[in-house]
Amino acid sequence: MADTTQMLKGILDGCLLSIIKDGEIYGYELAARLESYGFTSFSEGTIYPLLLRMQKEGLVTATLRKSTAGPKRKYYSLTDKGEEELKSFIKRWEQLSSSVNYVLNKRGM
């Protein structure tokens, strides 16, 4: 059986977009926020390649800013295209979760 990390692969993009939609955020803070929501089965390094890909696809923008505690930080913001992708993800997720819940819950009938 696939572990949680495998199951999360396709879901993590949508979760990242949703968090970024709440406001500009840098990578470490994004990872900490995910962990606070219960996403503990992946390494912090997992999100950086995803953010880079999303940046290349035009879903997010990145801006380097000074940090009071060390080197500059890269802050991520959602683009209009990213907001559209998030809406699309939410629609797909609702359909998928509804179907999975139906299959799992019918077993108890």
Side-chain angles (χ1 to χ4, degrees):
M1 173 129 187
D3 64 6
T4 305
T5 303
Q6 282 297 107
M7 292 177 72
L8 281 175
K9 272 188 171 181
I11 298 168
L12 202 50
D13 283 9
C15 293
L16 291 173
L17 291 173
S18 182
I19 293 170
I20 295 168
K21 184 180 183 351
D22 292 339
E24 198 173 55
I25 190 168
Y26 63 96
Y28 178 79
E29 184 181 19
L30 187 54
R33 183 100 38 101
L34 280 170
E35 187 173 341
S36 77
Y37 295 147
F39 290 90
T40 57
S41 61
F42 66 93
S43 69
E44 181 185 326
T46 303
I47 66 168
Y48 291 105
L50 297 176
L51 290 168
L52 181 60
R53 180 181 45 75
M54 285 192 268
Q55 188 178 354
K56 287 179 180 178
E57 292 174 356
L59 304 176
V60 299
T61 59
T63 307
L64 281 176
R65 296 232 172 92
K66 278 187 182 180
S67 169
T68 57
K72 290 182 178 182
R73 293 179 176 161
K74 191 180 278 191
Y75 285 83
Y76 297 91
S77 300
L78 213 55
T79 63
D80 290 343
K81 185 177 178 182
E83 288 201 37
E84 289 302 314
E85 178 59 28
L86 176 58
K87 288 177 188 174
S88 177
F89 170 80
I90 290 169
K91 186 175 181 178
R92 292 188 314 266
W93 173 253
E94 288 172 347
Q95 291 170 345
L96 177 62
S97 64
S98 175
S99 297
V100 170
N101 285 331
Y102 178 78
V103 169
L104 296 177
N105 291 326
K106 82 173 182 72
R107 292 186 55 147
M109 297 173 96

